[in-house]
PDB file of all heavy atoms in Angstrom:
ATOM      1  N   SER A 241      -6.655  34.935 -16.653  1.00  0.00           N
ATOM      2  CA  SER A 241      -6.142  34.715 -18.013  1.00  0.00           C
ATOM      3  C   SER A 241      -4.631  34.514 -17.949  1.00  0.00           C
ATOM      4  O   SER A 241      -3.922  35.232 -17.231  1.00  0.00           O
ATOM      5  CB  SER A 241      -6.459  35.934 -18.892  1.00  0.00           C
ATOM      6  OG  SER A 241      -7.846  36.179 -18.939  1.00  0.00           O
ATOM      7  N   ARG A 242      -4.157  33.541 -18.695  1.00  0.00           N
ATOM      8  CA  ARG A 242      -2.724  33.266 -18.709  1.00  0.00           C
ATOM      9  C   ARG A 242      -1.977  34.327 -19.524  1.00  0.00           C
ATOM     10  O   ARG A 242      -2.490  34.809 -20.545  1.00  0.00           O
ATOM     11  CB  ARG A 242      -2.448  31.888 -19.340  1.00  0.00           C
ATOM     12  CG  ARG A 242      -2.854  30.725 -18.493  1.00  0.00           C
ATOM     13  CD  ARG A 242      -2.594  29.416 -19.225  1.00  0.00           C
ATOM     14  NE  ARG A 242      -1.170  29.189 -19.457  1.00  0.00           N
ATOM     15  CZ  ARG A 242      -0.698  28.220 -20.237  1.00  0.00           C
ATOM     16  NH1 ARG A 242      -1.534  27.407 -20.873  1.00  0.00           N
ATOM     17  NH2 ARG A 242       0.597  28.047 -20.398  1.00  0.00           N
ATOM     18  N   PRO A 243      -0.776  34.665 -19.135  1.00  0.00           N
ATOM     19  CA  PRO A 243       0.026  35.609 -19.938  1.00  0.00           C
ATOM     20  C   PRO A 243       0.316  35.028 -21.326  1.00  0.00           C
ATOM     21  O   PRO A 243       0.562  33.825 -21.459  1.00  0.00           O
ATOM     22  CB  PRO A 243       1.318  35.759 -19.125  1.00  0.00           C
ATOM     23  CG  PRO A 243       0.986  35.285 -17.755  1.00  0.00           C
ATOM     24  CD  PRO A 243      -0.069  34.237 -17.918  1.00  0.00           C
ATOM     25  N   PRO A 244       0.290  35.854 -22.351  1.00  0.00           N
ATOM     26  CA  PRO A 244       0.586  35.344 -23.689  1.00  0.00           C
ATOM     27  C   PRO A 244       1.930  34.634 -23.781  1.00  0.00           C
ATOM     28  O   PRO A 244       2.061  33.635 -24.496  1.00  0.00           O
ATOM     29  CB  PRO A 244       0.564  36.617 -24.556  1.00  0.00           C
ATOM     30  CG  PRO A 244      -0.301  37.565 -23.824  1.00  0.00           C
ATOM     31  CD  PRO A 244      -0.057  37.286 -22.369  1.00  0.00           C
ATOM     32  N   GLU A 245       2.934  35.134 -23.050  1.00  0.00           N
ATOM     33  CA  GLU A 245       4.265  34.533 -23.122  1.00  0.00           C
ATOM     34  C   GLU A 245       4.232  33.080 -22.668  1.00  0.00           C
ATOM     35  O   GLU A 245       4.917  32.227 -23.231  1.00  0.00           O
ATOM     36  CB  GLU A 245       5.251  35.337 -22.255  1.00  0.00           C
ATOM     37  CG  GLU A 245       5.450  36.777 -22.686  1.00  0.00           C
ATOM     38  CD  GLU A 245       4.295  37.680 -22.279  1.00  0.00           C
ATOM     39  OE1 GLU A 245       3.468  37.273 -21.410  1.00  0.00           O
ATOM     40  OE2 GLU A 245       4.186  38.805 -22.840  1.00  0.00           O
ATOM     41  N   SER A 246       3.436  32.790 -21.628  1.00  0.00           N
ATOM     42  CA  SER A 246       3.314  31.415 -21.137  1.00  0.00           C
ATOM     43  C   SER A 246       2.650  30.524 -22.170  1.00  0.00           C
ATOM     44  O   SER A 246       3.075  29.375 -22.384  1.00  0.00           O
ATOM     45  CB  SER A 246       2.503  31.402 -19.831  1.00  0.00           C
ATOM     46  OG  SER A 246       2.229  30.095 -19.413  1.00  0.00           O
ATOM     47  N   ILE A 247       1.620  31.035 -22.828  1.00  0.00           N
ATOM     48  CA  ILE A 247       0.908  30.267 -23.853  1.00  0.00           C
ATOM     49  C   ILE A 247       1.823  30.000 -25.037  1.00  0.00           C
ATOM     50  O   ILE A 247       1.904  28.867 -25.553  1.00  0.00           O
ATOM     51  CB  ILE A 247      -0.350  31.017 -24.273  1.00  0.00           C
ATOM     52  CG1 ILE A 247      -1.311  31.159 -23.095  1.00  0.00           C
ATOM     53  CG2 ILE A 247      -1.044  30.312 -25.452  1.00  0.00           C
ATOM     54  CD1 ILE A 247      -2.420  32.180 -23.316  1.00  0.00           C
ATOM     55  N   LEU A 248       2.522  31.016 -25.493  1.00  0.00           N
ATOM     56  CA  LEU A 248       3.430  30.852 -26.642  1.00  0.00           C
ATOM     57  C   LEU A 248       4.532  29.851 -26.328  1.00  0.00           C
ATOM     58  O   LEU A 248       4.882  29.020 -27.175  1.00  0.00           O
ATOM     59  CB  LEU A 248       4.028  32.208 -27.012  1.00  0.00           C
ATOM     60  CG  LEU A 248       3.061  33.220 -27.610  1.00  0.00           C
ATOM     61  CD1 LEU A 248       3.662  34.609 -27.624  1.00  0.00           C
ATOM     62  CD2 LEU A 248       2.678  32.817 -29.037  1.00  0.00           C
ATOM     63  N   SER A 249       5.073  29.901 -25.121  1.00  0.00           N
ATOM     64  CA  SER A 249       6.121  28.958 -24.733  1.00  0.00           C
ATOM     65  C   SER A 249       5.579  27.528 -24.741  1.00  0.00           C
ATOM     66  O   SER A 249       6.268  26.594 -25.197  1.00  0.00           O
ATOM     67  CB  SER A 249       6.652  29.315 -23.341  1.00  0.00           C
ATOM     68  OG  SER A 249       7.592  28.364 -22.888  1.00  0.00           O
ATOM     69  N   GLU A 250       4.363  27.349 -24.251  1.00  0.00           N
ATOM     70  CA  GLU A 250       3.762  26.018 -24.237  1.00  0.00           C
ATOM     71  C   GLU A 250       3.559  25.500 -25.646  1.00  0.00           C
ATOM     72  O   GLU A 250       3.845  24.334 -25.945  1.00  0.00           O
ATOM     73  CB  GLU A 250       2.438  26.064 -23.477  1.00  0.00           C
ATOM     74  CG  GLU A 250       1.771  24.707 -23.309  1.00  0.00           C
ATOM     75  CD  GLU A 250       0.551  24.803 -22.410  1.00  0.00           C
ATOM     76  OE1 GLU A 250      -0.229  25.759 -22.538  1.00  0.00           O
ATOM     77  OE2 GLU A 250       0.392  23.920 -21.552  1.00  0.00           O
ATOM     78  N   VAL A 251       3.062  26.358 -26.542  1.00  0.00           N
ATOM     79  CA  VAL A 251       2.844  25.940 -27.921  1.00  0.00           C
ATOM     80  C   VAL A 251       4.172  25.570 -28.594  1.00  0.00           C
ATOM     81  O   VAL A 251       4.253  24.567 -29.311  1.00  0.00           O
ATOM     82  CB  VAL A 251       2.106  27.036 -28.718  1.00  0.00           C
ATOM     83  CG1 VAL A 251       2.089  26.714 -30.204  1.00  0.00           C
ATOM     84  CG2 VAL A 251       0.674  27.196 -28.193  1.00  0.00           C
ATOM     85  N   ARG A 252       5.209  26.359 -28.343  1.00  0.00           N
ATOM     86  CA  ARG A 252       6.511  26.019 -28.931  1.00  0.00           C
ATOM     87  C   ARG A 252       6.983  24.647 -28.476  1.00  0.00           C
ATOM     88  O   ARG A 252       7.497  23.853 -29.286  1.00  0.00           O
ATOM     89  CB  ARG A 252       7.543  27.082 -28.533  1.00  0.00           C
ATOM     90  CG  ARG A 252       7.342  28.447 -29.177  1.00  0.00           C
ATOM     91  CD  ARG A 252       8.534  29.336 -28.886  1.00  0.00           C
ATOM     92  NE  ARG A 252       8.260  30.725 -29.269  1.00  0.00           N
ATOM     93  CZ  ARG A 252       7.902  31.687 -28.423  1.00  0.00           C
ATOM     94  NH1 ARG A 252       7.766  31.403 -27.117  1.00  0.00           N
ATOM     95  NH2 ARG A 252       7.681  32.901 -28.838  1.00  0.00           N
ATOM     96  N   GLY A 253       6.822  24.339 -27.201  1.00  0.00           N
ATOM     97  CA  GLY A 253       7.229  23.034 -26.689  1.00  0.00           C
ATOM     98  C   GLY A 253       6.444  21.901 -27.307  1.00  0.00           C
ATOM     99  O   GLY A 253       6.994  20.833 -27.635  1.00  0.00           O
ATOM    100  N   LEU A 254       5.146  22.090 -27.475  1.00  0.00           N
ATOM    101  CA  LEU A 254       4.307  21.065 -28.075  1.00  0.00           C
ATOM    102  C   LEU A 254       4.600  20.891 -29.563  1.00  0.00           C
ATOM    103  O   LEU A 254       4.526  19.778 -30.102  1.00  0.00           O
ATOM    104  CB  LEU A 254       2.825  21.399 -27.852  1.00  0.00           C
ATOM    105  CG  LEU A 254       2.354  21.215 -26.405  1.00  0.00           C
ATOM    106  CD1 LEU A 254       1.052  21.969 -26.159  1.00  0.00           C
ATOM    107  CD2 LEU A 254       2.169  19.729 -26.088  1.00  0.00           C
ATOM    108  N   LEU A 255       4.926  21.984 -30.248  1.00  0.00           N
ATOM    109  CA  LEU A 255       5.364  21.877 -31.646  1.00  0.00           C
ATOM    110  C   LEU A 255       6.610  20.998 -31.741  1.00  0.00           C
ATOM    111  O   LEU A 255       6.703  20.111 -32.604  1.00  0.00           O
ATOM    112  CB  LEU A 255       5.639  23.260 -32.225  1.00  0.00           C
ATOM    113  CG  LEU A 255       4.440  24.094 -32.632  1.00  0.00           C
ATOM    114  CD1 LEU A 255       4.832  25.556 -32.790  1.00  0.00           C
ATOM    115  CD2 LEU A 255       3.822  23.564 -33.922  1.00  0.00           C
TER     116      LEU A 255
END
Side-chain angles (χ1 to χ4, degrees):
S241 302
R242 289 178 65 190
E245 298 77 16
S246 173
I247 297 165
L248 291 166
S249 176
E250 184 173 43
V251 170
R252 290 189 191 100
L254 288 162
L255 282 164

